[in-house]
Amino acid sequence: MAVWIQAQQLQGDALHQMQSLYGQHFPIEVRHYLSQWIEGQLWDAIDLENPQEEFKAKRLLDSLIQELQNKAEHQVGEDGFLLKIKLGHYASQLKSTYDRCPLELVRCIKHILYTEQRLVREATNSSSPVGGMMDSMSQKYQQINQAFEELRLLTQDTENDLRKLQHNQEYFIIQYQESLRIQAQLTSLATLPPADRQLREPALLSKRATVEAWLTREANTLQKYRLDLAEKHQKTLQLLRKQQTIILDDELIQWKRRQQLAGNGGPPEGGLDILQSWCEKLAETIWQNRQQIRRAEHLRQQLPIPGPIEELLNELNSTITDIISALVTSTFIIEKQPPQVLKTQTKFAATVRLLVGGKLNVHMNPPQVKATIISEQQAKALLKNENTRNDSSGEILNNNCVMEYHQTTGTLSAHFRNMSLKRIKRSDRRGAESVTEEKFTILFESQFSVGGNELVFQVKTLSLPVVVIVHGSQDNNATATVLWDNAFAEPGRVPFLVPDKVLWPQLCDAINMKYKAEVQSNRGLSEENLVFLAQKAFSSSSNNPDDYRNMTMTWSQFNRESLPGRNFTFWQWFDGVMELTKKHLKPHWNDGAILGFVNKQQAQDMLMSKPNGTFLLRFSDSEIGGITIAWVAENPNKAGERMVWNLMPYTTKDFSIRSLADRISDLNHLLFLYPDRPKDEVFSKYYTPPLSKAVDGYVKPQIKQVVPEFTTANPDPASGNPTYMDHGASPAPVNHPHTYGIYPPMSDSMLDADGEFDLDDTMDVARHVEELLRRPVESQWGGQQS
């Protein structure tokens, strides 16, 4: 069902929120009459932070205006005449508003559609027939909204009491002035003759006594009103603190945690719109109560009455200032984090946002935000309020930005688009720590005032930890540091402490999340895959997942110490697998064609029960970012004996020459993908189409792969004289485990000493063949005949 149809069925507060989205910046009538067109456009395809996208936004604006004009032209009848004028007016209004800033129109409509969808979703959840049971999120939102309603009623109650107090105090002052006038009259009686004085004095004395009695009684009443009002404000501030704690210490911290996990490939942290709406309600309520307390203080100064009220008002003032300070400083946040692996001399971006900026009118004097890179030690000192002024650990270019207010969304933010880390100053490292384990952070700071300079705030916020590299070769180790920190950091920690060891299941969750995100696949790591990784990590042979549940893995085991018998760490091997899969194997992994996490012995056990020609794909144990083909076939040296062969691992370098699917297609001895799927059924959709026939007397060469021991057919000269690339296989005969890992000698010059392709030599051969074949066919054969 269209969103607009559902949005029109909203009720109560949700309907009010939906209606408040519209105004002169985007009339609700435009949304109504163009609902189908609006919901059919690809608003999300436009990157608001990229100025080059402005032409797309301009096209959408022009289309919107054209749609409005078309709609206006088709209106008929008396009612249609008025609507025609109105829609035409809206077309002109939108053109004049957004013609110079079409991206703002996109921002506005995206905000409207997102909010409508959220309101509809929340309304659907709350009224769904699942027994009226809301999920925990909806219940929490309901509790927060109920608390806001209670705060609204309390604030309205104290406002009414304050007006009553003001009215009573004004009347008291009038009566006090009356008592002064009576006293003046009594004083003037002294100048009158005794007879006149005796005649008038009793009435004045009686009147003075009555007024003074009333003043005494009313003074006590005013004092009670003031104390009652102060107690109500105390109750309001207590509830405000509780509500603010829930929003800032629970909801905002959870959002930041989701943002951190998103850095490891977790789900998106979600929009800030609902958090901002809560923070704005807090700001509005706090400000109203602050103004009330100040008015109560002004009334006390107008009419001082002895009692504890002065101390109470001072305490309320102090409390409300603390509350608003906590709100403002906590809602200065990083909406878009800088990259956590940061390469020097490389452009990067970040966005900071003040969630209460619009409500407090901070944008009336737009504050400037400054970005600085600081070390872990400097971050610790900063949080201890130690003097760190002018301390930094490097130089960032383009590190100043003014906060901009976006009227349509009500957001105040600063978009750093072109920052670059020019240089970095490293500290002395501890023990075995490498440069890729050293953590920095980007400090964003600003200063602004609210309430006509009544309150001045200095705000600061730290980015997630950043690892600075100077060369791409450091990327995988830096990523390991970031992954560990994002996965296992505790909220509110001292910068940037993380546990040195974690339970294996916790690490499994982290690497599975990362793997799915990097490979962009819904197929994550299975329990069998994780057992394989545990065997590798702990040098274990157990196949029982329960044996690893209580085991811990240290940071050193993860990415400091090499695996036994290897020159790389556990993470470096795993990262190599991710990179290879992401770049070359993603469709095959998604299809389930790659078992991947299987060792040599397991592959042999699995294949020996299958017919000859059955093969599987597994990641190389001995090489970073390698994958090999294992298959079962006859032993050419011993009749009747079968063995498992392992092809020398392919790497990214190999797949840049010829894809995995094409290589499998080339090898005719590979028949069935384990357990029993015909290979063409699995891989044929990824084969490169055959080359076209010769044109103008020229034929095209092609590169194909053969394994010499398993070449089943000679190439056909008429097919274009393909150049074959031999690839070594290692046999794994049954009952001869000692032959594992032994590769037959290679005579092919295209293989290096380690049995790997030399890309340059391979391409030289290809170019040589191509050059030969480029000559006209007639002249080649004609020359030979003569």
Side-chain angles (χ1 to χ4, degrees), residues 244-256:
Q244 185 158 296
T245 299
I246 290 170
I247 292 169
L248 299 184
D249 294 355
D250 293 347
E251 297 300 315
L252 186 55
I253 293 296
Q254 285 178 29
W255 181 87
K256 288 181 178 180

Side-chain angles (χ1 to χ4, degrees), residues 361-432:
N361 292 324
V362 175
H363 56 284
M364 302 305 284
N365 185 17
Q368 189 172 76
V369 184
K370 180 183 178 183
T372 315
I373 189 163
I374 61 174
S375 68
E376 184 173 335
Q377 291 302 320
Q378 289 165 341
K380 285 178 185 173
L382 184 74
L383 293 189
K384 289 178 183 174
N385 291 321
E386 295 176 6
N387 185 15
T388 57
R389 190 171 298 279
N390 299 325
D391 279 358
S392 72
S393 290
E395 183 183 350
I396 299 177
L397 303 179
N398 303 316
N399 67 329
N400 285 288
C401 186
V402 174
M403 297 194 92
E404 298 176 1
Y405 183 69
H406 304 282
Q407 186 76 40
T408 51
T409 57
T411 58
L412 182 72
S413 54
H415 303 282
F416 292 85
R417 294 183 175 88
N418 296 296
M419 287 191 288
S420 174
L421 182 58
K422 185 178 179 182
R423 60 178 182 83
I424 191 68
K425 181 171 66 179
R426 299 191 183 275
S427 58
D428 294 332
R429 291 183 294 282
R430 303 180 293 272

Side-chain angles (χ1 to χ4, degrees), residues 222-499:
L222 286 174
Q223 184 72 306
K224 185 177 183 304
Y225 280 173
R226 289 176 178 182
L227 289 172
D228 288 347
L229 182 61
E231 286 173 4
K232 286 185 177 181
H233 274 129
Q234 283 179 325
K235 183 181 177 183
T236 304
L237 297 194
Q238 192 176 5
L239 184 57
L240 262 174
R241 269 195 190 280
K242 183 180 176 184
Q243 182 81 327
Q244 185 158 296
T245 299
I246 290 170
I247 292 169
L248 299 184
D249 294 355
D250 293 347
E251 297 300 315
L252 186 55
I253 293 296
Q254 285 178 29
W255 181 87
K256 288 181 178 180
R257 179 64 184 143
R258 291 195 299 273
Q259 186 185 53
Q260 191 170 24
L261 288 175
N264 277 3
E269 61 269 31
L272 282 166
D273 287 353
I274 192 161
L275 270 171
Q276 175 163 318
S277 71
W278 289 341
C279 291
E280 286 179 339
K281 282 183 181 178
L282 278 173
E284 194 171 18
T285 308
I286 292 168
W287 200 254
Q288 286 172 352
N289 279 274
R290 184 174 185 273
Q291 295 303 99
Q292 288 181 10
I293 292 167
R294 296 195 64 180
R295 281 158 57 197
E297 194 169 28
H298 181 64
L299 290 175
R300 186 200 63 79
Q301 290 168 353
Q302 274 188 330
L303 182 62
I305 301 173
I309 191 64
E310 183 176 359
E311 187 178 335
L312 276 172
L313 286 173
N314 287 339
E315 186 183 321
L316 288 171
N317 249 322
S318 175
T319 301
I320 197 105
T321 302
D322 287 346
I323 291 174
I324 197 168
S325 295
L327 178 66
V328 172
T329 54
S330 299
T331 55
F332 182 64
I333 62 168
I334 302 172
E335 181 177 4
K336 179 185 175 185
Q337 291 280 342
Q340 288 186 263
V341 176
L342 191 56
K343 191 167 179 286
T344 54
Q345 313 294 334
T346 304
K347 192 173 91 168
F348 68 97
T351 302
V352 294
R353 180 163 159 185
L354 182 63
L355 298 180
V356 294
K359 278 293 175 194
L360 298 179
N361 292 324
V362 175
H363 56 284
M364 302 305 284
N365 185 17
Q368 189 172 76
V369 184
K370 180 183 178 183
T372 315
I373 189 163
I374 61 174
S375 68
E376 184 173 335
Q377 291 302 320
Q378 289 165 341
K380 285 178 185 173
L382 184 74
L383 293 189
K384 289 178 183 174
N385 291 321
E386 295 176 6
N387 185 15
T388 57
R389 190 171 298 279
N390 299 325
D391 279 358
S392 72
S393 290
E395 183 183 350
I396 299 177
L397 303 179
N398 303 316
N399 67 329
N400 285 288
C401 186
V402 174
M403 297 194 92
E404 298 176 1
Y405 183 69
H406 304 282
Q407 186 76 40
T408 51
T409 57
T411 58
L412 182 72
S413 54
H415 303 282
F416 292 85
R417 294 183 175 88
N418 296 296
M419 287 191 288
S420 174
L421 182 58
K422 185 178 179 182
R423 60 178 182 83
I424 191 68
K425 181 171 66 179
R426 299 191 183 275
S427 58
D428 294 332
R429 291 183 294 282
R430 303 180 293 272
E433 188 180 80
S434 68
V435 293
T436 54
E437 293 178 41
E438 187 178 5
K439 299 173 192 173
F440 297 87
T441 180
I442 309 294
L443 164 67
F444 295 94
E445 51 189 336
S446 184
Q447 177 178 309
F448 52 84
S449 60
V450 298
N453 293 328
E454 286 178 31
L455 297 172
V456 177
F457 295 101
Q458 288 189 336
V459 292
K460 300 178 181 181
T461 188
L462 296 174
S463 76
L464 292 172
V466 166
V467 178
V468 177
I469 63 173
V470 296
H471 192 274
S473 62
Q474 298 172 309
D475 184 79
N476 64 346
N477 290 325
T479 301
T481 302
V482 167
L483 175 83
W484 191 278
D485 192 281
N486 285 347
F488 309 122
E490 292 289 334
R493 62 171 170 176
V494 175
F496 289 107
L497 289 182
V498 283

Side-chain angles (χ1 to χ4, degrees), residues 522-783:
N522 290 325
R523 183 190 168 205
L525 303 174
S526 66
E527 189 168 58
E528 292 78 10
N529 298 156
L530 295 171
V531 166
F532 170 87
L533 292 172
Q535 292 172 337
K536 181 176 286 291
F538 299 114
S539 301
S540 167
S541 59
S542 171
N543 288 319
N544 185 356
D546 292 333
D547 290 346
Y548 303 105
R549 297 206 191 284
N550 295 317
M551 293 185 72
T552 57
M553 190 169 194
T554 65
W555 165 253
S556 291
Q557 288 173 298
F558 183 66
N559 195 47
R560 194 177 278 172
E561 301 166 0
S562 294
L563 291 169
R566 307 294 183 201
N567 62 351
F568 47 78
T569 66
F570 172 84
W571 165 257
Q572 288 167 348
W573 181 87
F574 183 77
D575 185 56
V577 165
M578 281 197 304
E579 279 295 300
L580 181 72
T581 308
K582 177 173 71 174
K583 290 179 179 177
H584 301 287
L585 309 177
K586 181 165 68 173
H588 309 305
W589 173 263
N590 288 337
D591 290 348
I594 297 174
L595 287 179
F597 300 96
V598 177
N599 64 37
K600 222 173 199 180
Q601 184 62 52
Q602 289 170 330
Q604 176 174 326
D605 294 342
M606 293 162 73
L607 291 169
M608 285 306 298
S609 63
K610 299 297 176 182
N612 287 348
T614 303
F615 67 98
L616 59 79
L617 296 154
R618 67 178 188 85
F619 297 122
S620 169
D621 278 316
S622 58
E623 188 164 354
I624 293 178
I627 190 169
T628 184
I629 302 174
W631 73 95
V632 61
E634 296 294 333
N635 183 346
N637 299 320
K638 191 176 279 189
E641 183 181 273
R642 300 197 315 149
M643 61 173 57
V644 171
W645 297 71
N646 290 278
L647 202 60
M648 186 174 285
Y650 298 125
T651 63
T652 289
K653 185 170 67 173
D654 301 311
F655 292 133
S656 65
I657 300 170
R658 190 155 175 79
S659 73
L660 174 66
D662 286 341
R663 290 173 183 275
I664 289 172
S665 173
D666 292 344
L667 301 177
N668 294 330
H669 60 278
L670 302 182
L671 304 176
F672 304 102
L673 178 67
Y674 182 89
D676 54 10
R677 299 167 67 189
K679 74 173 183 183
D680 287 345
E681 178 186 299
V682 181
F683 295 100
S684 61
K685 58 186 173 184
Y686 303 112
Y687 295 162
T688 302
L691 295 174
S692 58
K693 297 294 183 182
V695 178
D696 298 332
Y698 293 99
V699 292
K700 292 182 180 179
Q702 59 177 312
I703 296 173
K704 283 198 174 184
Q705 171 183 261
V706 294
V707 176
E709 291 87 340
F710 292 87
T711 304
T712 55
N714 292 323
D716 181 3
S719 67
N721 295 336
T723 300
Y724 283 98
M725 296 169 56
D726 296 347
H727 211 63
S730 71
V734 185
N735 301 325
H736 293 81
H738 62 277
T739 60
Y740 266 70
I742 300 173
Y743 295 82
M746 296 291 166
S747 58
D748 198 317
S749 62
M750 285 180 281
L751 298 175
D752 62 19
D754 295 324
E756 293 188 351
F757 288 118
D758 186 308
L759 180 60
D760 293 337
D761 289 348
T762 305
M763 297 312 293
D764 284 346
V765 172
R767 280 193 291 271
H768 180 65
V769 171
E770 186 176 8
E771 188 179 332
L772 286 172
L773 295 175
R774 200 174 282 131
R775 300 171 190 167
V777 175
E778 297 81 359
S779 64
Q780 287 185 48
W781 293 110

